[in-house]
Amino acid sequence: MSGQRVTAPAIADERTTLTGFLDFQRATLERKCAGLTGSQLRERAVPPSRLCLLGIVRHMAEVERNWFRPVLEGAELATIFWPPLDWQRTFRDLEQASVAESFAVWRAECARARDLVAAATSLEVTGWRRGEQIGLRWVLTHMIEEYARHNGHADLIRECLDGSTGE
């Protein structure tokens, strides 16, 4: 697999460490999808699971939007691809989904999240999501965990598709 990823610095402040690990995880998902056709990105390669790489990308766009925007800018929860708030739908009905649009939306949500995090005065900033107060530090940690879990899925899917393995 191609694609250069920058690792989080081994010695840095907490914000730099957390955002570095999150960007590494984002780049890992991009790398797992690199060089595949639309058909391969839609293939559910680990039956009976309905997961596919395109579904994971679309899901992560939803996750980026619905953790960072509510907590850091007070936005309401809102799905991108399938209203109303059907989070699992990003893994279904992908036959007509545009690969280019899906990746563009995901990249835009990642960029918006980076901007929101950069604008936050500290990791102590809090906001609200579904009536619960949540801190930026928790959101960043949760997002690293969310990507790590789905990147594990992506690794298995990619290996089934073309034998590619690796971190």
Side-chain angles (χ1 to χ4, degrees), residues 72-162:
L72 296 177
E73 65 182 12
E76 296 293 321
L77 294 178
T79 53
I80 300 166
F81 300 106
W82 300 104
L85 300 183
D86 183 354
W87 308 114
Q88 295 306 311
R89 189 116 184 230
T90 57
F91 296 114
R92 303 188 308 264
D93 306 325
L94 296 174
E95 294 75 24
Q96 303 303 315
S98 165
V99 170
E101 176 193 18
S102 298
F103 276 87
V105 167
W106 171 63
R107 289 179 188 120
E109 289 301 328
C110 290
R112 181 67 184 140
R114 282 185 197 98
D115 290 345
L116 289 170
V117 170
T121 56
S122 76
L123 293 176
E124 304 303 319
V125 167
T126 63
W128 296 86
R129 186 175 186 276
R130 291 190 170 169
E132 180 182 2
Q133 191 172 23
I134 299 172
L136 175 55
R137 178 182 288 106
W138 190 94
V139 172
L140 288 167
T141 303
H142 172 70
M143 291 298 294
I144 293 165
E145 178 271 332
E146 182 86 12
Y147 270 100
R149 179 171 8 101
H150 288 303
N151 282 338
H153 300 142
D155 192 43
L156 293 172
I157 295 167
R158 181 67 190 249
E159 184 174 4
C160 288
L161 290 172
D162 69 0

Side-chain angles (χ1 to χ4, degrees), residues 1 29-43 53-54 99 103 154 157-159 161-164:
M1 276 178 252
L29 180 57
E30 183 100 32
R31 184 176 175 166
K32 293 297 174 184
C33 297
L36 297 175
T37 66
S39 294
Q40 288 173 310
L41 289 167
R42 287 181 183 87
E43 188 171 335
L53 293 172
L54 185 60
V99 170
F103 276 87
I157 295 167
R158 181 67 190 249
E159 184 174 4
L161 290 172
D162 69 0
S164 293

Side-chain angles (χ1 to χ4, degrees), residues 2 5 18 38 40 51-52 60 62-63 67 130-131 133:
S2 63
R5 294 172 296 170
L18 290 170
Q40 288 173 310
L51 285 177
C52 66
M60 292 312 298
E62 302 277 7
V63 171
W67 279 103
R130 291 190 170 169
Q133 191 172 23

